[in-house]
Amino acid sequence: MDVEEMQREIDQVIGRERIPTMEDRKSLPFTDAVIHEVQRYMDIVPLSVPHYATRDISFRGYVIPKDTVIIPLLHSVLRDEGHWESPWTFNPNHFLDANGNFKKCPAFMPFSAGKRSCVGESLARMELFLFIVSLLQKFSFTSPTGPDSVDLSPELSSFANMPRYYQLIASPR
Ligand code: HEM
């Protein structure tokens, strides 16, 4: 359903011939919302990367002593009930306002936050947008074993929630 809605939006804004550019993103709010929701829901790096206090730090009334290892739990932010209407459900409306415009959310931090957040964020976000839009522009995707057979639960590696391998059929549109 979401994919068909994305393809309708892409057809209207870009058509099937022109190569998508980053300028198109603001005209594709639903597509942008789905891509954001995929990153929120998949929660790829749930524990971020361990950090280390190089000096005593005072934070919201707590003292974090020098040499403490800090594990920023991005997972808890991406599933925070105070920020997301339905944290455990895939729901692109998390990133859409009542008029269907794209809406930013401060709890969207799959790339972490602060001075040491991911330096590849802009590149990764451009790649995700251009790859997904280009693929949906030209192909329809189905599962050989039916849509309900795709297991969305992650495969745990040492520190990442990796998507599972599965087969897809890509049919030219
Ligand atoms: C969807 C894709 C990506 C996700 C979800 C992601 C996520 C993250 C996260 C959570 C961190 C830890 C930040 C922290 O320590 O607080 C990180 C760090 C980093 N990422 Fe990414 N990343 C992605 C793509 C990329 C790409 C494409 C590049 C390079 C072109 C990249 C380069 C780096 C580097 C160099 C760091 C270390 C930054 C530092 O310690 O100062 N990442 N990333």
Side-chain angles (χ1 to χ4, degrees):
M1 280 307 216
D2 288 343
V3 170
E4 285 158 19
E5 179 69 34
M6 287 163 89
Q7 284 178 321
R8 259 195 299 279
E9 196 180 55
I10 293 165
D11 281 352
Q12 272 171 15
V13 173
I14 309 177
R16 302 219 181 155
E17 297 305 321
R18 180 170 69 75
I19 292 172
T21 70
M22 287 313 295
E23 270 298 293
D24 294 316
R25 187 162 59 181
K26 56 182 180 301
S27 310
L28 296 169
F30 186 77
T31 302
D32 201 13
V34 171
I35 295 171
H36 277 71
E37 181 66 354
V38 168
Q39 282 205 273
R40 186 198 72 80
Y41 184 78
M42 291 310 289
D43 188 15
I44 299 277
V45 202
L47 306 177
S48 189
V49 170
H51 287 240
Y52 184 79
T54 52
R55 55 180 167 80
D56 288 353
I57 296 167
S58 173
F59 180 70
R60 294 192 181 176
Y62 294 91
V63 174
I64 302 173
K66 183 176 180 303
D67 296 338
T68 305
V69 173
I70 301 159
I71 299 176
L73 205 58
L74 297 183
H75 169 82
S76 70
V77 187
L78 297 176
R79 292 284 189 272
D80 188 333
E81 294 190 352
H83 280 283
W84 309 103
E85 190 188 309
S86 54
W88 297 94
T89 311
F90 184 86
N91 177 7
N93 287 327
H94 286 142
F95 295 96
L96 292 169
D97 68 15
N99 299 318
N101 297 315
F102 182 80
K103 172 182 85 177
K104 281 188 180 173
C105 180
F108 177 76
M109 47 176 75
F111 298 96
S112 193
K115 287 182 184 169
R116 295 299 296 273
S117 69
C118 177
V119 288
E121 173 170 351
S122 305
L123 177 66
R125 293 179 66 167
M126 279 195 279
E127 285 180 338
L128 283 171
F129 178 79
L130 294 174
F131 275 56
I132 291 173
V133 171
S134 303
L135 286 169
L136 290 180
Q137 183 189 36
K138 298 286 184 187
F139 298 97
S140 291
F141 294 92
T142 49
S143 161
T145 46
D148 295 335
S149 67
V150 178
D151 181 358
L152 292 181
S153 68
E155 197 155 15
L156 287 174
S157 75
S158 51
F159 73 103
N161 279 329
M162 298 304 289
R164 291 175 191 277
Y165 287 100
Y166 51 86
Q167 290 190 318
L168 278 178
I169 301 169
S171 316
R173 298 178 70 210

